[in-house]
Amino acid sequence: MHVKPAASALHRVSAAGRRLGESWSGSPRALDVLTALSCLALMALDLPGLAAADNSLNGPSAAAVLAVGCTSLLARRRRPWIAYAVSLLFIGWLHELTLIQFALYSVGRFRGRRAGVLATVGYVAFALAMFSVPGWPEPAGASLSSFLSLVVPIGVLASAVGIAAYRHDLVRELDVRRAESAVLQAVQQERTSVARDVHDFVGRELTLLTVRSEVLSVRSRETVHAKDFEELADTARRAHLVLNEIIVQRGERTSTPGVDGLAALAEESGRAGSPVRLAMAPEARGLSPLRQAAVYRVVQECLTNAAKHAHGETIEVTITADGPRLRITVSNGLAARVPGRVPGRAPVSAGSGTASMAERVRSLGGTLTTTRTQDSYSVVAVLPRG
């Protein structure tokens, strides 16, 4: 009777522990705590020497002092100079060189090359000053060359690793910003393309409306509806003028093809080495020109990505009508991995092409989803038909 509640409570505790572990596993705070504990563990190896020879501390007091000193590493991201100052204190008082390695790494990692070099020079100068004090370093009578062969490599190596990590972080952040910028630029370009399509298709209809209303206005001059048709013609002209002012055309360009251009697109992909099987419902030809342009762009982007990342695989393109919505499904197999070759990648990257394609679909009130399995990749776009 009590097994199930106990098992349920154990499951909740286990799940909470997993969530806590996942939240801490990659967090900066967890890394700082792990760094401090690692430093303490390394310094603990020298506890017998600290208690016996280097100073007047006993075992428990030496352990407490080392633990307090390691806590300075918890602030190493925002205030790495605190750990650096504490490490210099440990060098002069306890003759302990472990903390300075972590401190120099932290200064180089979170403050850059100039700060790292400055900290290293200061550390070496301080250690040289301590070397002139009688009885330091141990063992007595150590030569200056042997002292430098220990102190200098420790500082230079720790600082160099920190500076290298700092530069790696900068490069990674720059790559992330470039990727974000590329996605934003692609989305903006797609919005511009959609706006131009709107201008092409809606502008054409407004032109016809203007012409027809002007014809009706002329024909009805002697009727009671003459004024109404004149106002209709003026309204159509103003709407066309506003559309031209809002959407600025940049040079000459051809309009985006509709669904009639898919056959040529599939044939072109086949000639390039990626055969296409196209199946399209007749209802797709009844879509508005703007929605046909969206269908064309989605299929075009999917074929381009499949050719890049799954070249040679057959691409299935299916366009079906499902009530008030149109479904575009583009799927292809994934090339089998061959030993010695570069591992396969997803046929559609999470880059600018996918972002622009999704923006095009969302602008028309639709949705776009991508699915990858071990053997295939598919893109599904759903658009309203009306």
Side-chain angles (χ1 to χ4, degrees), residues 189 191-201 247-251 253 255 290:
Q189 289 176 350
R191 288 176 179 174
T192 302
S193 178
V194 171
R196 288 172 175 172
D197 288 339
V198 170
H199 181 277
D200 292 340
F201 302 129
I247 304 173
V248 179
Q249 293 249 331
R250 299 180 180 179
R253 72 172 189 93
S255 299
L290 193 60

Side-chain angles (χ1 to χ4, degrees), residues 177-251:
R177 290 186 179 181
R178 284 177 177 173
E180 292 175 350
S181 177
V183 170
L184 292 176
Q185 184 178 5
V187 170
Q188 185 60 39
Q189 289 176 350
E190 193 63 25
R191 288 176 179 174
T192 302
S193 178
V194 171
R196 288 172 175 172
D197 288 339
V198 170
H199 181 277
D200 292 340
F201 302 129
V202 179
R204 182 177 60 189
E205 299 300 325
L206 283 175
T207 301
L208 294 176
L209 176 61
T210 302
V211 173
R212 290 173 182 174
S213 60
E214 288 177 347
V215 171
L216 292 175
S217 175
V218 172
R219 291 179 179 177
S220 62
R221 282 179 179 174
E222 303 300 328
T223 66
V224 296
H225 300 293
K227 184 178 180 181
D228 295 334
F229 283 114
E230 289 178 359
E231 292 179 353
L232 178 61
D234 290 338
T235 301
R237 282 192 293 269
R238 287 196 303 270
H240 200 183
L241 178 62
V242 170
L243 182 64
N244 285 329
E245 290 177 350
I246 293 176
I247 304 173
V248 179
Q249 293 249 331
R250 299 180 180 179

Side-chain angles (χ1 to χ4, degrees), residues 260-315:
D260 291 335
L262 293 179
L265 197 63
E267 183 180 354
E268 181 182 355
S269 177
R271 289 196 301 267
S274 296
V276 177
R277 285 201 288 262
L278 175 64
M280 182 173 61
E283 291 84 351
R285 302 184 185 278
L287 294 173
S288 66
L290 193 60
R291 281 170 171 74
Q292 288 195 33
V295 174
Y296 183 90
R297 289 299 189 197
V298 168
V299 175
Q300 182 184 45
E301 183 63 35
C302 288
L303 295 184
T304 300
N305 285 326
K308 288 180 181 178
H309 305 295
H311 183 71
E313 296 293 324
T314 301
I315 307 170

